[in-house]
Amino acid sequence: MDQVPGSTGTSAGFALRLGQTIFSSASLLFMSFGVQFYSYTSFCFLVTIMGLVIPWSFILALVDGYSVLVTCPIRQKGILFIIVIGDWQLLSTLALGAACSAASVVDVLLRADGSSSGSLCVPSNCSRYLISSVFAFLTWFLSMASSLFNMWVLPSL
Amino acid sequence: MDQVPGSTGTSAGFALRLGQTIFSSASLLFMSFGVQFYSYTSFCFLVTIMGLVIPWSFILALVDGYSVLVTCPIRQKGILFIIVIGDWQLLSTLALGAACSAASVVDVLLRADGSSSGSLCVPSNCSRYLISSVFAFLTWFLSMASSLFNMWVLPSL
């Protein structure tokens, strides 16, 4: 069968994995440097999930890059099945949960700031939390796209 | 092909839909009666999503119940495709997002209660928010199960 752009072993798939790695790293960096993220469970959850997504996406980016270079895409059903399950059921679900949690906590903190003179969150920290959750949403979106493209390929193997 | 238990038109599928309807109604009731949910965006989001899930699950429960009674399961690929897309991409994603958001806001409110003499949330309200998010997670879980069973049936039609 033809190659589906975006599936494992294509250059579009490589770009998706690279995007996931970059966005999840950015999310982790904005959350963890100079910010006391450990005072909120949701932010700890986000950091944990991004710490899982980064190695997963990076390894799969390496695999995709290698497949593109040697022009030999992955065709084993078992491997692709593991990739789809890992992408979809674990990482994209968890990344969505983490992004939603972090975004809603930021919303609460920003509102509390407006009403009670900034007791919960320093404004500069709040904007970093916000940027971090936006990057987490982008990570989820790309992870979902990878998963859908691979799932599309799966039945034809 | 054989019937997959849990897919549309089976008695297990009917039970799943009924469970979704009950859990989402419970989530909506615990959130909305006697509680000022509109002061937090996440809770408004949860109420909106549960307001979408209830009619969707209820209508599909009626369809499943009818199919079981007349023993004539749905076999049209187009209809099943719409059900899978609606279940999975819209409702289960949105339900997960809403449940995570609500749960993380409850976490923040409970912590703020412990430290600063209950300024953000009356304890009885907080427990209702908490029960509401637990029901939202259960709704997501059942919605995901329905979607997976239907997706399993889809390629064989």
Side-chain angles (χ1 to χ4, degrees), chain A residues 39-42 88-89 93 96-97 100-101 104-105 107-108 111 120 140 144 148 151, chain B residues 39-42 88-89 93 96-97 100-101 104-105 107-108 111 120 140 144 148 151:
Chain A
S39 44
Y40 295 100
T41 316
S42 312
W88 176 48
Q89 201 62 51
T93 308
L96 175 66
C100 284
S101 303
S104 60
V105 170
D107 173 64
V108 170
R111 274 162 195 259
L120 281 173
W140 164 69
M144 205 63 175
L148 282 178
M151 208 183 283
Chain B
S39 43
Y40 295 99
T41 316
S42 311
W88 175 48
Q89 200 62 50
T93 308
L96 175 66
C100 285
S101 304
S104 60
V105 171
D107 173 64
V108 170
R111 274 162 195 260
L120 281 173
W140 165 70
M144 204 64 175
L148 283 178
M151 208 183 282

Side-chain angles (χ1 to χ4, degrees), chain A residues 47-104:
Chain A
V47 167
T48 313
I49 299 303
M50 290 303 138
L52 278 173
V53 170
I54 292 170
W56 171 269
S57 296
F58 185 66
I59 290 169
L60 286 177
L62 288 182
V63 170
D64 280 0
Y66 181 75
S67 299
V68 170
L69 280 181
V70 303
T71 59
C72 169
I74 293 173
R75 282 275 160 271
Q76 285 81 5
K77 192 163 186 171
I79 297 178
L80 208 60
F81 192 68
I82 292 172
I83 292 176
V84 168
I85 293 289
D87 252 343
W88 176 48
Q89 201 62 51
L90 297 176
L91 293 183
S92 66
T93 308
L94 291 174
L96 175 66
C100 284
S101 303
S104 60

Side-chain angles (χ1 to χ4, degrees), chain B residues 17 34 38 42 57 85 87 90 104-105 107 114 125 130:
Chain B
R17 296 291 173 193
Y38 41 81
S42 311
S57 297
I85 292 288
D87 252 342
L90 297 177
S104 60
V105 171
D107 173 64
N125 282 4
L130 197 60

Side-chain angles (χ1 to χ4, degrees), chain B residues 38-115:
Chain B
Y38 41 81
S39 43
Y40 295 99
T41 316
S42 311
F43 296 158
C44 295
F45 182 49
L46 183 72
V47 167
T48 314
I49 299 304
M50 289 303 138
L52 279 173
V53 170
I54 292 170
W56 170 269
S57 297
F58 185 66
I59 290 169
L60 287 177
L62 289 183
V63 170
D64 281 359
Y66 181 75
S67 299
V68 170
L69 280 181
V70 303
T71 58
C72 169
I74 293 173
R75 282 277 161 266
Q76 284 83 6
K77 192 163 185 171
I79 296 178
L80 208 60
F81 192 69
I82 292 172
I83 292 176
V84 168
I85 292 288
D87 252 342
W88 175 48
Q89 200 62 50
L90 297 177
L91 292 184
S92 65
T93 308
L94 290 174
L96 175 66
C100 285
S101 304
S104 60
V105 171
V106 170
D107 173 64
V108 170
L109 296 181
L110 283 175
R111 274 162 195 260
D113 268 354
S115 63

